[in-house]
Amino acid sequence: YQSYVVLIQGEEGLRDHIAADLNDKGIATRQGTHAVALLGYYRKQYNLRPEMFPNAWMADRKSLSLPLYASMTDAEQDYVLEALAQSQYSNLG
């Protein structure tokens, strides 16, 4: 158990709106994955650009890590899922 990563469909920036909605409900989220090749050292050292890694860039911009841990109760899991579905930016509701 560590996290559950989801890919947010829709325009770039939607993930951040959903994360803010969840945060307002006491649910901490994080960026789901990073485009490692486009972080500091690699980007500068090898002159890498986002268009060279379109799928990694998309995952970097649209993934969201939801909480998941061994002691998480079914009720807590349900709360996270319900909050995600009820987000004003989500199309799950």
Side-chain angles (χ1 to χ4, degrees):
Y1 297 93
Q2 179 184 357
S3 60
Y4 188 86
V5 177
V6 296
L7 188 62
I8 304 297
Q9 299 295 320
E11 63 189 60
E12 191 172 314
L14 182 59
R15 171 198 64 196
D16 298 330
H17 292 298
I18 291 173
D21 275 356
L22 295 177
N23 187 62
D24 289 345
K25 295 174 180 159
I27 301 168
T29 62
R30 300 286 180 264
Q31 178 177 343
T33 191
H34 296 276
V36 176
L38 301 174
L39 294 176
Y41 172 80
Y42 296 102
R43 182 176 42 81
K44 292 174 188 173
Q45 179 70 22
Y46 302 107
N47 195 29
L48 302 176
R49 298 176 313 281
E51 61 270 15
M52 297 169 76
F53 304 94
N55 291 331
W57 183 249
M58 181 268 307
D60 182 275
R61 297 295 183 223
K62 295 186 174 190
S63 63
L64 182 67
S65 180
L66 301 173
L68 178 67
Y69 46 91
S71 62
M72 190 173 196
T73 67
D74 289 346
E76 290 169 327
Q77 291 175 37
D78 290 342
Y79 179 72
V80 171
L81 295 175
E82 288 171 16
L84 179 61
Q86 292 173 0
S87 169
Q88 65 178 333
Y89 299 99
S90 174
N91 63 1
L92 298 175

